[in-house]
Amino acid sequence: MRKVTKCAFAILSAMLLMPVDACPSGGINPKEIIFEHTKDDYRWHITTINDRHVSVYLPVIVYSRTGGWNVFMSSRLEHGRSYRGFRIAGEGPFAGRIVEDGADGRPVRPFPDLSLTKTALAIVINSALMLAIFLFVARRYRRRPGHWAPGGFVGAMEMFVMSIEDDVVRKCIGRDYARYSPYLLTAFFFIFINNIMGLVPFFPGGANVTGNISVTLVLAVCTMIAVNVFGNRAYWRETLWPDVPLWMKVPLPLMPVIELFGVISKPFALTIRLFANITAGHAVILALTCLVFVAAKMGTAMTAGMTALSVLLSVFMGLLEILVAYIQAYVFTMLSAVFIGLSRPGHGA
């Protein structure tokens, strides 16, 4: 497995470094395809039929400093066009984002920008799916009270819930784990469902939600709020006045600064870990798929061999990503529970 993974990452690196004009497939640019999929957008591209792109265009809701609120569809901004003074920047610090020309002619971001993007729409769809699953399972339990042994889908959901509740939340937090279970279980299923939906190759799947650093940052901030707001007195005493020699605290607060830095670094670690793993998985699968098109003009033997290799590696990486989807949701929930448990010393099991 390790050798196959190294091979996949080597292929990915080579394809990302390949210049556009050096692509042997006559126009297929793997770098552009990979970045196009993993980034956020104001439209949801579904497929291409006879060089015609089939997309779901999303509403743009922006505030102009000169014209007030503007609401229109993102199709107005296709192919670099400008509408009501707004356009999608093709380069610079705001590349891929909606901008308007400022008084000095420089592009500026409208504020606030409440536009519905691909990631935002995927979050709404996946959250609705998660809510539907929870309500369906809860309804089945209400209809059969008592000692009922569920089977099928409901039984699988009970297995998921109990494994996280008993093996993660209860063991990491301790006696008062129940007050944190709703958040931790919601975080687990939110990440897991978004990870799985990101592997579905057709609408409404395929969005790189948990590979968006803004989404993972919000999840990490929610965990840190639970840690620092509900941390008890002993936690804050260990943070602001740790049990170390006095010269390490006075006159220079060396250890308190280090402890506070640890408080800040925890959400950073949660953010980058989830973001990097999911984005890397999407990029590797796309790179392996692009192998077919890259090898299309290298001859029949090369095309057949690379196609077979691409399909085998893509299937392998797809199955591996299903496992990674669960592992990353589990790791995020476990680390969140560990951080919450450490913020409540003396409340262990």
Side-chain angles (χ1 to χ4, degrees):
M1 180 180 296
R2 183 176 300 177
K3 291 182 179 180
V4 175
T5 305
K6 288 182 178 180
C7 177
F9 275 103
I11 294 171
L12 171 62
S13 301
M15 297 179 76
L16 288 179
L17 294 174
M18 180 184 297
V20 179
D21 55 359
C23 183
S25 60
I28 294 296
N29 184 2
K31 182 193 299 185
E32 181 180 346
I33 293 174
I34 292 171
F35 287 137
E36 181 71 21
H37 172 79
T38 55
K39 72 176 184 179
D40 201 4
D41 202 351
Y42 293 96
R43 66 186 177 97
W44 195 319
H45 181 263
I46 298 177
T47 188
T48 301
I49 303 176
N50 296 328
D51 295 330
R52 181 181 178 183
H53 298 292
V54 179
S55 304
V56 175
Y57 293 97
L58 305 174
V60 174
I61 307 172
V62 290
Y63 182 82
S64 173
R65 299 177 183 178
T66 57
W69 286 100
N70 292 267
V71 180
F72 53 92
M73 300 302 293
S74 59
S75 57
R76 301 277 189 176
L77 305 177
E78 276 286 277
H79 308 298
R81 291 181 298 179
S82 177
Y83 182 74
R84 296 183 184 178
F86 298 99
R87 58 187 173 84
I88 298 179
E91 57 184 11
F94 305 127
R97 313 304 298 174
I98 291 179
V99 297
E100 63 175 334
D101 294 327
D104 57 356
R106 295 181 179 180
V108 295
R109 287 278 290 138
F111 181 82
D113 182 359
L114 305 179
S115 305
L116 186 66
T117 63
K118 177 181 178 180
T119 299
L121 178 60
I123 289 175
V124 173
I125 294 173
N126 297 340
S127 298
L129 175 62
M130 181 177 67
L131 183 61
I133 292 173
F134 287 169
L135 292 178
F136 171 77
V137 174
R139 185 178 181 182
R140 293 292 298 273
Y141 272 99
R142 283 197 302 268
R143 287 184 173 182
R144 299 189 180 185
H147 300 286
W148 170 57
F153 178 75
V154 178
M157 287 298 299
E158 180 179 336
M159 179 192 69
F160 269 114
V161 171
M162 296 307 297
S163 65
I164 300 300
E165 178 87 1
D166 295 336
D167 298 337
V168 177
V169 180
R170 186 195 300 264
K171 291 183 178 180
C172 293
I173 297 179
R175 292 194 304 269
D176 57 346
Y177 73 95
R179 65 187 299 187
Y180 302 102
S181 290
Y183 164 69
L184 293 173
L185 288 171
T186 301
F188 171 81
F189 282 104
F190 177 81
I191 296 172
F192 180 65
I193 290 175
N194 277 284
N195 289 349
I196 292 296
M197 289 295 291
L199 299 176
V200 177
F202 50 84
F203 183 83
N208 188 31
V209 175
T210 43
N212 187 307
I213 198 168
S214 299
V215 176
T216 59
L217 177 61
V218 170
L219 291 170
V221 168
C222 290
T223 294
M224 287 303 101
I225 290 175
V227 170
N228 296 299
V229 171
F230 301 106
N232 59 18
R233 184 179 301 177
Y235 165 74
W236 284 109
R237 183 184 180 281
E238 292 178 1
T239 301
L240 301 177
W241 196 257
D243 188 15
V244 296
L246 186 62
W247 64 270
M248 300 184 72
K249 298 180 288 187
V250 179
L252 292 177
L254 180 61
M255 288 304 299
V257 169
I258 293 176
E259 293 291 340
L260 288 174
F261 180 78
V263 172
I264 299 173
S265 65
K266 289 175 183 176
F268 178 78
L270 288 174
T271 300
I272 299 300
R273 179 187 296 273
L274 181 58
F275 158 74
N277 281 283
I278 299 303
T279 300
H282 282 256
V284 169
I285 291 177
L286 287 170
L288 294 175
T289 304
C290 288
L291 276 177
V292 178
F293 305 98
V294 172
K297 293 188 176 181
M298 292 184 178
T300 304
M302 178 63 72
T303 301
M306 294 301 292
T307 299
L309 177 63
S310 173
V311 171
L312 290 175
L313 288 177
S314 297
V315 171
F316 170 77
M317 288 301 301
L319 296 175
L320 186 62
E321 280 299 301
I322 295 176
L323 178 62
V324 170
Y326 173 80
I327 291 175
Q328 290 304 316
Y330 183 91
V331 169
F332 186 95
T333 307
M334 182 187 67
L335 290 177
S336 297
V338 168
F339 294 154
I340 292 173
L342 292 174
S343 71
R344 303 186 62 78
H347 287 261

